[in-house]
Amino acid sequence: MDKVNRLEQLNGAISAIEKGAQEYQIGSRRIKKAELSVLYQERRRLEQEIRDQESYGGVTVACFDRR
């Protein structure tokens, strides 16, 4: 899975939790999703990776030519 798709999934999970879907119950089973703080942290990390990739890792190259 590429990073952009992963970021979209993270944003969807964050959105669902922010709307109140952190925990729910089906019959006798209780389901709890990931902690919001962990998802925020992963989103920041992934966004930074995408920025780095788009800017070639933040590397700048300068060429000086004497003529």
Side-chain angles (χ1 to χ4, degrees):
M1 176 183 314
D2 71 345
K3 292 175 183 173
V4 174
N5 286 338
R6 177 73 177 133
L7 183 58
E8 288 174 2
Q9 285 187 337
L10 276 170
N11 284 331
I14 288 169
S15 179
I17 291 172
E18 289 174 338
K19 292 176 184 175
Q22 174 72 30
E23 188 173 342
Y24 55 94
Q25 187 168 339
I26 300 173
S28 62
R29 296 188 65 193
R30 182 171 295 276
I31 310 296
K32 184 172 182 179
K33 294 185 179 179
E35 292 294 325
L36 197 52
S37 62
V38 173
L39 294 177
Y40 284 144
Q41 182 180 15
E42 177 63 11
R43 181 170 66 181
R44 282 190 301 271
R45 186 195 66 76
L46 193 54
E47 287 172 336
Q48 184 62 50
E49 278 188 25
I50 292 169
R51 281 192 299 273
D52 289 347
Q53 184 177 1
E54 289 172 350
S55 68
Y56 304 102
V59 174
T60 303
V61 177
C63 295
F64 300 97
D65 186 16
R66 290 187 188 198
R67 291 182 190 224

